[in-house]
Amino acid sequence: MSLLTAPGQATQTLQWTKKDLLGLRTLSADEIRLILQTAESFREISLRPIKKVPTLRGKTVVNLFFEPSTRTRISFELAAKRLSADIVNIATHSSSLSKGETILDTVHNLEALKVDILVIRHAAAGVPALIASQATSAVINAGDGAHEHPTQALLDLFTIQEKKGRIDGLNVSIIGDIAHSRVARSDIWGLTKLGARVTVCGPPTLMPTQIEQLGVKVTYRVDEAIRDADVLMLLRIQHERQETRLVPSLREYRLRYGIDRDRLAAHAKPDVLIMHPGPVNRGVELDSAVADGPFSVILDQVTNGLAVRMAALYLVSGAPKVDEAEA
Ligand code: CP
């Protein structure tokens, strides 16, 4: 099945029309499929001896990260470089933001320098959308508070499609700190739009009220979440977004919700996929034997993140696709 073709639909040609990529809630299933298909066409560039094409030559990308990041920031930087864009990383603690300049003033100064794409991570939900409303540059949300992390969900979808050959009809269980997870929210939007059945599982204190309204099933029993799941997505407890302690102890959490080899052997399907957006807290939500075991695709997710971010940069840039002969 083409990624651009929903079950029962004829193949169609889509154009990207949005200035920004802010979240999956506001994307249609076809727009999500377009990004995944574009990522598929960029994936092989990273397998070449010379991992570079001129697609975004002359474009300037700025990484503006107000929160720590390993995977997302480096992945966007490599994605920009592999497309021949210029990339600037702004360390917010050593910029004039630390002298009291507002984020919007910083953005207006960057735009005065004629940048093209702003990649923004911030601890507060809505900051990328606010900037997008004020900026003429394209804005990509690299994670805003507990709101959305669209490129993480897109790389998760890409990885499931790659490993399972489909997303429609799969059972996906997301286990962990759902309440504070932007990854969970973006994954729920993306998975349900592409036809997966999503179950969320975690301690009641880490479960948002009325989450069922997003079209998911809720369980507080991890064995139930594991049973029948084609994909298990584990999430860490996001202490940085919690004002009070919401689980009695990490030991207690591990006993009730942690995934170890025995729990997997007792309840999981024989071809289950183990996914985690990272960073993994080993021995809490996931034991090393599972994180590094035969069902884990955690590092494949990281690899696929590069192709997905190349696709995101390319689509919001509005650049024409350079054909293979030129590449
Ligand atoms: N998955 C993810 O967003 O990882 P980083 O925080 O390292 O970017």
Side-chain angles (χ1 to χ4, degrees):
M1 184 186 82
S2 161
L3 278 167
L4 265 185
T5 313
Q9 276 188 343
T11 306
Q12 51 188 296
T13 306
L14 266 182
Q15 295 290 323
W16 183 259
T17 54
K18 290 191 159 62
K19 177 175 88 69
D20 311 295
L21 175 57
L22 298 174
L24 265 57
R25 186 180 66 83
T26 50
L27 294 187
S28 67
D30 282 343
E31 286 171 322
I32 294 171
R33 291 190 189 100
L34 174 63
I35 300 171
L36 299 180
Q37 190 189 56
T38 307
E40 181 66 46
S41 74
F42 279 127
R43 180 182 15 200
E44 63 84 27
I45 293 167
S46 294
L47 304 175
R48 297 179 187 180
I50 298 173
K51 304 173 180 63
K52 215 172 179 70
V53 292
T55 311
L56 293 191
R57 193 166 51 201
K59 300 280 184 189
T60 304
V61 179
V62 177
N63 264 344
L64 194 51
F65 277 55
F66 296 85
E67 263 196 347
S69 168
T70 299
R71 282 147 288 269
T72 312
R73 192 189 62 73
I74 293 172
S75 184
F76 268 113
E77 182 170 351
L78 280 179
K81 286 178 171 168
R82 292 200 177 162
L83 295 173
S84 301
D86 296 314
I87 171 106
V88 179
N89 285 294
I90 298 187
T92 51
H93 59 276
S94 59
S95 74
S96 289
L97 286 153
S98 66
K99 300 180 201 164
E101 184 169 72
T102 67
I103 295 175
L104 287 178
D105 277 337
T106 299
V107 166
H108 291 140
N109 278 272
L110 292 171
E111 294 216 289
L113 296 168
K114 308 299 176 201
V115 304
D116 299 290
I117 302 173
L118 299 166
V119 180
I120 298 177
R121 170 170 289 193
H122 200 283
V127 169
L130 172 71
I131 292 172
S133 72
Q134 302 278 316
T136 50
S137 316
V139 173
I140 298 179
N141 179 4
D144 62 330
H147 178 224
E148 283 233 35
H149 191 349
T151 57
Q152 178 66 46
L154 288 162
L155 73 88
D156 291 342
L157 294 170
F158 189 95
T159 304
I160 295 171
Q161 172 73 36
E162 175 189 60
K163 302 294 178 190
K164 293 286 187 189
R166 68 190 172 107
I167 294 166
D168 184 53
L170 292 182
N171 295 318
V172 180
S173 289
I174 307 177
I175 302 171
D177 180 358
I178 310 296
H180 300 95
S181 176
R182 53 197 176 208
V183 175
R185 277 177 187 71
S186 289
D187 269 318
I188 289 169
W189 289 120
L191 285 161
T192 53
K193 285 179 188 206
L194 296 195
R197 288 183 287 272
V198 179
T199 298
V200 291
C201 175
T205 49
L206 298 179
M207 191 63 70
T209 54
Q210 302 187 324
I211 185 91
E212 297 92 341
Q213 291 184 2
L214 298 187
V216 300
K217 181 181 153 196
V218 179
T219 178
Y220 300 105
R221 293 174 44 217
V222 75
D223 298 349
E224 191 181 317
I226 295 173
R227 205 174 306 123
D228 296 330
D230 299 293
V231 179
L232 293 179
M233 291 185 172
L234 288 312
L235 302 172
R236 73 186 169 89
I237 300 176
Q238 290 161 72
H239 299 287
E240 72 274 23
R241 294 190 202 114
Q242 298 179 16
E243 284 162 16
T244 55
R245 187 169 276 279
L246 294 170
V247 291
S249 69
L250 293 183
R251 184 173 170 279
E252 176 83 7
Y253 181 86
R254 176 177 187 268
L255 282 173
R256 283 182 177 268
Y257 294 99
I259 305 295
D260 60 16
R261 210 162 24 193
D262 293 342
R263 194 161 252 164
L264 216 52
H267 302 289
K269 286 175 99 167
D271 58 349
V272 70
L273 289 188
I274 301 291
M275 302 179 71
H276 194 304
V280 176
N281 287 169
R282 287 173 181 261
V284 183
E285 70 271 15
L286 200 54
D287 274 14
S288 286
V290 180
D292 305 327
F295 307 112
S296 171
V297 294
I298 294 172
L299 292 178
D300 300 271
Q301 290 173 263
V302 177
T303 303
N304 290 336
L306 190 49
V308 162
R309 289 175 178 124
M310 288 167 86
L313 290 170
Y314 163 68
L315 289 170
V316 300
S317 79
K321 192 88 184 266
V322 178
D323 69 23
E324 283 299 303
E326 285 182 74

